[in-house]
Amino acid sequence: NPHFLAHYMGKKIFKLRGSEGAEVCDETFTYGCFHGIVEGLVANRGKSAISEARNTCYKFGSRVTALSCIHGIGHGLLEYETFNVVRALEDCDMLHINERPTCFDGVFMAYMLSAPPSYFEGKDTWYPCAAIPTEYRSRCSRSQPQVMALRFKMKTHQIAKECLRGETQEIISKCLFGVGLLVGLASKGDRSYVSAECGSIERGRDLCIATAAAQVVFQRYPDWKQTSILLCEALRGEPSRTCHFGIQQMIETHVGHN
């Protein structure tokens, strides 16, 4: 995975040059180098390094890059807090309110990928979202479909059905949005994969396709522009317009500013 390789390189650069090493990073591979730099910094010093990590994010990139870079702070906090999700999330609360969601995402992503398998044994498929304070559950629900796929080996249609068990309508909606993120990421830009996986779910098909299309753009998979447009064109009416708007926003935010 190129993104994870960029993470690795960022952490190596941090060991050699400290936070100033971020000057060699760019947005390539969805900001992975930046993530690795600030992850290495925060994993060593915990919340005492948040201010320096945040300043590093803003010093070497645009505002869009900075907000994406802050995602890596969440990775580092979870590592420093030895997989204590709640403490890591509370550490994220030290950031400005508009920066916290990307930090939360970094915590959830790192937990999904790196927590020991034993942490998930015997747990409900909504773990860890159901086990954290209420104020963090909505953001967590965006990431939960990836946990269900990776840790609980569930299929897309099973995950979408499980989303409907969410305790609030907001959580249900965020979870279904997360299904689209999951499908888009797993697709590697394969339009037929997106169509098949999103087509397998009973509720949220259009949202799944639109979100997956935007994710194809964000990941810059091969032929991302044509693929995303064709996915949106497969929809009809308002869902199609919403999909086209979403991919255009993604292009302007994460591609057009470069």
Side-chain angles (χ1 to χ4, degrees):
N1 184 300
H3 177 72
F4 296 142
L5 178 60
H7 261 261
Y8 174 80
M9 294 305 298
K11 294 184 80 168
K12 288 294 184 181
I13 292 167
F14 172 75
K15 288 182 179 180
L16 292 172
R17 299 185 54 188
S19 59
E20 290 297 310
E23 67 180 355
V24 307
C25 296
D26 61 21
E27 296 88 348
T28 305
F29 304 132
T30 55
Y31 309 93
C33 178
F34 285 110
H35 292 175
I37 293 279
V38 296
E39 178 182 356
L41 173 62
V42 176
N44 284 341
R45 291 169 38 201
K47 60 186 179 182
S48 66
I50 287 178
S51 180
E52 180 182 343
R54 179 183 180 275
N55 290 339
T56 297
C57 289
Y58 280 95
K59 181 177 180 180
F60 295 107
S62 66
R63 178 170 176 77
V64 170
T65 300
L67 289 173
S68 297
C69 171
I70 286 169
H71 177 95
I73 295 177
H75 294 335
L77 288 170
L78 186 74
E79 183 175 344
Y80 182 81
E81 299 290 7
T82 57
F83 299 109
N84 187 313
V85 175
V86 175
R87 281 208 304 260
L89 293 171
E90 291 172 346
D91 292 345
C92 287
D93 285 334
M94 295 177 63
L95 290 160
H96 294 176
I97 191 167
N98 65 317
E99 298 167 345
R100 293 172 193 168
T102 56
C103 184
F104 297 157
D105 288 346
V107 171
F108 297 134
M109 178 180 173
Y111 194 83
M112 170 189 67
L113 293 171
S114 304
S118 60
Y119 282 38
F120 295 88
E121 291 176 2
K123 296 293 196 302
D124 181 82
T125 52
W126 275 93
Y127 177 83
C129 292
I132 61 177
T134 305
E135 60 265 33
Y136 302 115
R137 292 181 187 175
S138 176
R139 194 70 186 187
C140 183
S141 62
R142 286 167 40 105
S143 300
Q144 197 61 29
Q146 296 184 59
V147 175
M148 292 176 184
L150 180 66
R151 297 295 190 154
F152 297 104
K153 310 303 180 185
M154 296 170 65
K155 303 296 184 182
T156 302
H157 70 279
Q158 295 172 320
I159 295 169
K161 187 174 182 178
E162 188 66 14
C163 285
L164 301 180
R165 288 183 55 226
E167 58 187 330
T168 67
Q169 186 56 52
E170 180 181 15
I171 286 176
I172 291 171
S173 297
K174 292 287 181 64
C175 184
L176 290 172
F177 178 86
V179 173
L181 293 178
L182 170 67
V183 171
L185 183 62
S187 74
K188 306 298 183 185
D190 183 343
R191 182 162 55 97
S192 62
Y193 178 89
V194 173
S195 298
E197 292 299 302
C198 291
S200 73
I201 68 179
E202 296 180 5
R203 176 177 166 186
R205 169 188 170 273
D206 291 351
L207 175 62
C208 178
I209 290 175
T211 307
Q215 184 66 196
V216 167
V217 175
F218 181 67
Q219 297 295 333
R220 301 191 208 182
Y221 286 138
D223 299 320
W224 58 265
K225 190 170 186 177
Q226 180 182 17
T227 298
S228 61
I229 290 173
L230 289 173
L231 284 168
C232 291
E233 288 180 349
L235 302 175
R236 295 290 181 268
E238 187 60 29
S240 180
R241 289 189 287 275
T242 300
C243 183
H244 281 291
F245 179 78
I247 63 173
Q248 186 58 40
Q249 288 292 102
M250 189 66 75
I251 290 170
E252 292 176 0
T253 303
H254 293 286
V255 180
H257 78 283
N258 293 337

